[in-house]
Amino acid sequence: MVEGTRGVYAISVAAEKVSMAIQNLRVYERHGLVRPSRTEGGTRIYSEDDIETLHRIRELLGEGLNLAGIRKVMALEAEVRSLRRRLARGR
């Protein structure tokens, strides 16, 4: 598994790391903004990448975006990263 993508934090620890309420993390997951791993028992476990995503969500909320807007921004950012990788391979 790629470093940064392995789930290591329980939801309570993840919420504390990003200074958010646990319920907010559940809402962001329901809206598809973050996708934590799950244990066999169904417990959410958050990776470092998930923590970075939650920080980005907080930043975009602070800029006045709603969850639908955040989803669009994050999708566009992912597309830009993908296109940059493709461009770099083509050089």
Side-chain angles (χ1 to χ4, degrees):
M1 186 173 280
V2 176
E3 191 62 35
T5 62
R6 184 174 61 88
V8 293
Y9 303 111
I11 193 169
S12 59
V13 176
E16 186 176 321
K17 286 181 71 73
V18 295
S19 301
M20 292 179 173
I22 290 171
Q23 189 58 36
N24 289 351
L25 275 62
R26 292 184 181 123
V27 168
Y28 303 149
E29 181 182 4
R30 274 196 307 273
H31 284 270
L33 299 175
V34 65
R35 291 182 180 88
S37 301
R38 298 274 184 156
T39 64
E40 287 184 21
T43 302
R44 293 169 180 88
I45 48 175
Y46 291 80
S47 67
E48 283 298 330
D49 288 351
D50 294 327
I51 299 298
E52 287 180 29
T53 297
L54 291 167
H55 280 296
R56 182 66 177 137
I57 291 167
R58 173 198 285 303
E59 182 180 323
L60 293 170
L61 285 168
E63 292 176 12
L65 275 72
N66 62 20
L67 296 182
I70 291 171
R71 187 173 33 256
K72 288 185 184 289
V73 166
M74 291 174 68
L76 289 169
E77 289 173 342
E79 184 177 352
V80 167
R81 283 191 302 275
S82 174
L83 291 170
R84 285 182 176 160
R85 282 192 300 271
R86 285 178 52 195
L87 236 150
R89 284 193 304 264
R91 290 185 187 159

